[in-house]
């Protein structure tokens, strides 16, 4: 790393901001965000107070899944710029004290990757064994891919199929092959040698597949079954993950943030314990509360705030028992938090701040997804042609196949689409929100003339939140204190104490659209943050307004 960090757990002190490069800032007015665009906005990020940037994939890619389909791990996609642009961005960011994390996508590549092209061209090429090919006239089993349809795609002109857990243009790498693994490790080390601070690691729990490749009973009208049961966090994955860490990350003082869906709480210590595979992981147990499964959006739940609160508490307690968590309420795969967690009619700037305070001071490293700090809401689209995201298109058609009407299907997709968070960042109230001078690759949300970064009370609140965590008298407690959840609160109110030696600070959040009366054991002392200025809690008994949060001691 350029700005050398000496402590082992330096990443516990960070506030990480996630950039979706296609939608952050367009410097060359082609309607697509780029690396120089990110560089132009470094002062904004510095002023916000964040310390680390996680940039979603910027590598050469046909962009079927917006860069999560990599054709060359070591090239920068021309849409985003050049390696020289990346080097400038890295140098300028480091100059400002901002570290950079890249997205490591090593479960699969693009079908345009040279390895896959060689594998297709010649069945005797060594690259056949870099992927998962199975000979036969029929598909080897009934597994459904995450983006719909069978995981098996026929090789043209051969009685042979290859496996893809995601889209058919994202063939899975064969981690059983030691030569492939060594190529991946060398690539990772070259990036780390360049001076990046670490990685967010994509879909890493999918790298081990059950070697029996056995079918399971179908779970949909398509006769298929979710491949997760046989490809996600399967026995034997520990061998690959330990080796990955030993051959790469462990040699550097870098941070690793695992995207680790499908890991039960009793296995968290293997992932994030003292000798865990990663520095921290994202836990999805409460992020996906509105759907039964993150890939079947037509299976919606009728969740309650009480359930949300319980899931959040379980998650935090499991993270604390095992190690360290990566706390988030939004990312490029999720709807906007204000739309998901706050009832219609209550989706105000104050509520966005209330939900922000609720998660930001949990124990762990806070992640902020671009636009979250502005209080953005979901986009409303009327036709499936308005979507870019492959899983939105798949979920629309699968919903109809499952018997829902086109209107119902559109509603599911609007609620869950990954394009909700991928709309261009509104920097101001000018045309296209100042993101670009031409029409952007994906329509802006309608709210941008009103909700943008040039004047925004949610943004002001995020600045205060970050300053309190990073540079205030209570920073040590907020960064490193333990977490204890408060009992004796109404079902709809979440409360926690952060404790360090004899110091304690508290966060209370009303998660509901009703006013909630709270009675505390002790009187409120100093209030550090209050998201609803018209209602200042005091004493032991007070009322919280809908979605109000307070941080106090
Ligand atoms: C998880 C990423 O967050 C998502 O955007 C992507 O589509 C899949 N992994 C496949 O790489």
């Amino acid at each position: 790393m350029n700005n050398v960090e000496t402590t082992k757990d330096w990443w516990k002190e960070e506030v990480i901001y996630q950039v979706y490069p296609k939608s952050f800032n367009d410097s060359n007015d082609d309607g697509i965000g780029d690396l120089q665009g990110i560089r132009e906005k470094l002062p904004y990020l510095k002023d916000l107070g964040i310390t680390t940037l996680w940039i979603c994939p910027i590598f050469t890619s046909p962009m079927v899944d917006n860069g999560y389909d990599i054709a060359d791990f070591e090239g920068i996609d021309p849409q985003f710029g050049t390696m020289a642009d990346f080097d400038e961005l890295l140098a300028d960011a480091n100059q400002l004290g901002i570290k950079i994390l890249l997205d490591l996508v090593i479960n699969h590549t693009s079908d345009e990757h040279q390895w896959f092209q060689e594998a297709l061209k010649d069945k005797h090429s060594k690259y056949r064994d870099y992927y998962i090919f199975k000979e036969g006239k029929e598909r080897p089993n009934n597994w459904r891919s995450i983006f719909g349809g069978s995981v098996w795609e026929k090789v043209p002109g051969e009685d042979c199929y290859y496996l893809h857990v995601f889209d058919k243009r994202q063939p899975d790498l064969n981690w059983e092959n030691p030569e492939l693994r060594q190529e991946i490790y060398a690539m990772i080390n070259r990036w780390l040698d360049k001076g990046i601070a670490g990685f967010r690691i994509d879909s890493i729990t999918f790298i081990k597949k059950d070697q029996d490749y056995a079918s399971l009973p179908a779970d949909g009208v398509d006769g298929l079954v979710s491949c997760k049961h046989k490809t996600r966090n399967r026995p034997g994955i520990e061998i690959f993950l330990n080796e990955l860490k030993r051959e790469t990350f462990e040699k550097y003082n870098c941070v690793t943030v695992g995207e680790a869906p499908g890991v039960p709480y009793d296995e968290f210590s293997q992932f994030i314990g003292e000798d865990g595979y990663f520095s921290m992981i994202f836990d999805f147990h409460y992020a996906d509360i509105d759907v039964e499964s993150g890939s079947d959006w037509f299976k919606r739940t009728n969740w309650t705030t009480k359930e949300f609160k319980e899931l959040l508490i379980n998650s935090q307690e499991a993270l604390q028992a095992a190690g360290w968590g990566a706390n988030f309420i939004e990312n490029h795969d999720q709807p906007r938090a204000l739309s998901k967690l706050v009832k219609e009619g209550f989706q105000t700037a104050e509520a966005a701040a209330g939900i922000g305070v609720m998660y930001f001071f949990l124990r762990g490293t806070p992640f902020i997804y671009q636009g979250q700090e502005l209080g953005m809401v979901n986009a409303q689209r009327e036709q499936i042609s308005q979507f870019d995201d492959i899983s939105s298109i798949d979920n629309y058609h699968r919903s109809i196949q499952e018997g829902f009407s086109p209107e119902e299907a559109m509603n599911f997709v609007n609620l869950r689409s990954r394009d909700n968070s991928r709309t261009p960042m509104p920097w101001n109230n000018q045309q296209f929100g100042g993101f670009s001078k031409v029409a952007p690759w994906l329509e802006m949300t309608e709210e941008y003339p009103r909700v943008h970064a040039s004047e925004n009370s949610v943004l002001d609140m995020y600045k205060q939140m970050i300053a309190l965590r990073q540079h205030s008298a209570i920073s040590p407690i907020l960064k490193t204190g333990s977490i204890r959840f408060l009992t004796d609160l109404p079902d709809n109110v979440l409360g926690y104490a952060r404790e360090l030696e004899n110091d304690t600070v508290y966060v209370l959040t009303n998660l509901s659209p009703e006013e909630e009366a709270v009675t505390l054991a002790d009187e409120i002392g100093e209030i550090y943050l209050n998201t609803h200025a018209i209602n200042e809690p005091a004493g032991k008994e007070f009322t919280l307004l809908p979605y109000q949060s307070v941080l106090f001691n």
Side-chain angles (χ1 to χ4, degrees):
M1 235 181 298
N2 287 348
N3 35 357
V4 180
E5 295 292 339
T6 45
T7 59
K8 180 168 152 278
D9 295 348
W10 59 268
W11 32 267
K12 292 187 175 172
E13 310 253 329
E14 304 296 296
V15 177
I16 303 185
Y17 187 91
Q18 182 189 354
V19 163
Y20 199 67
K22 240 180 140 168
S23 297
F24 192 59
N25 184 35
D26 176 15
S27 75
N28 60 353
D29 293 316
D30 61 356
I32 298 171
D34 45 53
L35 291 172
Q36 287 296 346
I38 303 174
R39 188 164 162 243
E40 278 173 11
K41 296 296 179 186
L42 286 172
Y44 168 85
L45 297 167
K46 181 74 189 166
D47 185 49
L48 176 57
I50 62 101
T51 60
T52 297
L53 265 193
W54 150 28
I55 310 177
C56 286
I58 50 173
F59 317 100
T60 315
S61 165
M63 300 285 162
V64 167
D65 191 15
N66 285 339
Y68 284 95
D69 47 325
I70 298 177
D72 176 3
F73 289 110
E74 289 169 77
I76 301 292
D77 193 89
Q79 281 192 352
F80 296 137
T82 62
M83 192 59 86
D85 293 324
F86 177 75
D87 290 341
E88 279 179 17
L89 170 63
L90 181 64
D92 283 12
N94 285 174
Q95 194 88 42
L96 290 172
I98 295 176
K99 304 175 191 75
I100 295 213
L101 308 188
L102 292 181
D103 217 306
L104 188 59
V105 188
I106 49 179
N107 173 68
H108 46 270
T109 66
S110 158
D111 61 346
E112 293 186 17
H113 194 289
Q114 202 195 339
W115 296 342
F116 192 71
Q117 287 300 315
E118 295 294 330
L120 279 188
K121 242 190 274 164
D122 174 7
K123 69 191 288 188
H124 303 294
S125 138
K126 72 167 188 173
Y127 295 109
R128 267 267 153 144
D129 200 36
Y130 275 35
Y131 295 88
I132 303 170
F133 285 88
K134 298 277 175 213
E135 304 272 342
K137 287 202 185 305
E138 304 294 324
R139 294 198 157 86
N141 59 39
N142 69 343
W143 301 352
R144 182 191 307 109
S145 86
I146 305 285
F147 293 154
S150 168
V151 296
W152 298 102
E153 182 67 15
K154 192 164 180 324
V155 179
E158 285 182 41
D159 286 336
C160 186
Y161 291 83
Y162 69 85
L163 180 136
H164 59 90
V165 159
F166 294 94
D167 189 80
K168 66 176 180 205
R169 289 151 293 178
Q170 294 169 298
D172 279 49
L173 288 164
N174 177 19
W175 274 73
E176 305 293 330
N177 178 347
E179 193 180 344
L180 172 267
R181 299 204 301 272
Q182 286 305 323
E183 289 230 36
I184 296 280
Y185 304 153
M187 174 276 289
I188 293 174
N189 292 341
R190 281 191 290 273
W191 275 110
L192 288 168
D193 286 335
K194 216 170 164 43
I196 63 164
F199 295 102
R200 175 268 190 182
I201 306 167
D202 185 69
S203 301
I204 195 63
T205 40
F206 283 94
I207 60 175
K208 175 79 188 180
K209 279 83 183 169
D210 276 1
Q211 294 299 298
D212 63 1
Y213 288 97
S215 287
L216 290 177
D219 66 6
V221 293
D222 55 4
L224 302 176
V225 59
S226 167
C227 68
K228 289 175 188 165
H229 309 291
K230 301 291 278 177
T231 60
R232 196 175 74 173
N233 196 31
R234 300 307 298 160
I237 195 171
E238 66 283 358
I239 297 172
F240 297 155
L241 294 179
N242 275 321
E243 185 185 86
L244 168 64
K245 176 184 164 198
R246 201 171 58 238
E247 299 275 336
T248 62
F249 314 138
E250 206 169 66
K251 302 181 181 179
Y252 299 79
N253 193 15
C254 71
V255 63
T256 53
V257 189
E259 191 202 23
V263 182
Y265 287 141
D266 60 5
E267 289 177 26
F268 266 26
S269 59
Q270 293 163 41
F271 281 75
I272 52 170
E274 198 49 33
D275 295 318
Y277 317 128
F278 304 114
S279 316
M280 55 182 124
I281 53 173
F282 295 116
D283 177 26
F284 293 92
H285 284 90
Y286 63 92
D288 290 334
I289 189 163
D290 55 327
V291 280
E292 273 173 36
S293 132
S295 39
D296 297 333
W297 301 342
F298 50 88
K299 294 184 187 162
R300 292 199 61 81
T301 60
N302 273 324
W303 63 279
T304 62
T305 44
K306 181 167 180 266
E307 281 160 2
F308 175 81
K309 174 172 147 177
E310 283 165 6
L311 286 173
L312 179 94
I313 293 174
N314 293 343
S315 168
Q316 281 287 305
E317 288 181 342
L319 289 164
Q320 173 157 267
W324 196 253
N327 296 323
F328 71 101
I329 47 170
E330 287 187 11
N331 64 34
H332 64 292
D333 295 330
Q334 289 281 330
R336 290 292 183 183
L338 193 52
S339 300
K340 184 171 70 180
L341 299 178
V342 174
K343 291 266 182 306
E344 258 183 81
F346 292 85
Q347 294 167 352
T348 58
E350 285 85 1
I355 295 294
V357 168
M358 181 274 299
Y359 97 100
F360 190 84
F361 297 109
L362 294 170
R363 180 180 169 279
T365 299
F367 283 65
I368 301 168
Y369 178 73
Q370 66 182 49
Q372 174 189 325
E373 79 277 25
L374 307 180
M376 291 179 74
V377 293
N378 284 348
Q380 273 302 314
R381 299 178 174 92
E382 268 137 44
Q383 285 171 14
I384 196 64
S385 58
Q386 289 174 279
F387 291 84
D388 167 84
D389 164 30
I390 36 182
S391 61
S392 299
I393 296 162
D394 165 57
N395 263 281
Y396 179 75
H397 294 298
R398 271 186 59 222
S399 305
I400 291 175
Q401 204 184 0
E402 292 279 342
F404 294 99
S405 69
E407 293 71 36
E408 287 168 319
M410 185 55 59
N411 183 41
F412 295 139
V413 175
N414 266 323
L415 287 167
R416 255 281 148 180
S417 175
R418 306 192 302 172
D419 283 343
N420 280 319
S421 55
R422 297 177 180 184
T423 55
M425 179 85 172
W427 293 101
N428 55 43
N429 60 3
Q430 309 295 298
Q431 199 187 22
F432 308 126
F435 164 79
S436 177
K437 292 205 177 64
V438 302
W441 70 280
L442 187 67
E443 275 171 75
M444 315 279 305
T445 54
E446 280 169 15
E447 59 181 350
Y448 81 83
R450 212 173 19 85
V451 176
H452 52 77
S454 69
E455 203 194 330
N456 189 304
S457 63
V458 188
L459 180 61
D460 294 339
M461 184 60 75
Y462 269 84
K463 285 185 192 168
Q464 287 183 54
M465 282 154 54
I466 296 173
L468 274 168
R469 185 180 187 275
Q470 300 305 101
H471 314 285
S472 77
I474 55 171
S475 295
I477 319 175
L478 294 174
K479 284 180 179 168
T480 61
S482 58
I483 192 161
R484 175 172 57 82
F485 286 89
L486 307 184
T487 49
D488 298 330
L489 287 173
D491 283 348
N492 289 333
V493 176
L494 176 79
Y496 56 87
R498 299 292 312 275
E499 297 171 319
L500 184 67
E501 288 150 17
N502 294 324
D503 291 326
T504 307
V505 292
Y506 300 92
V507 173
L508 282 182
T509 302
N510 178 359
L511 294 166
S512 82
E514 315 289 333
E515 292 190 0
E516 294 284 350
V518 172
T519 305
L520 297 178
D522 298 307
E523 297 205 346
I524 281 194
E526 184 176 349
I527 294 192
Y528 299 102
L529 272 184
N530 171 17
T531 57
H532 290 56
I534 54 163
N535 179 45
E536 182 90 347
K540 280 188 191 175
E541 290 179 25
F542 49 86
T543 298
L544 288 177
L545 297 177
Y547 303 104
Q548 181 173 13
S549 277
V550 247
L551 171 71
F552 59 93
N553 71 6

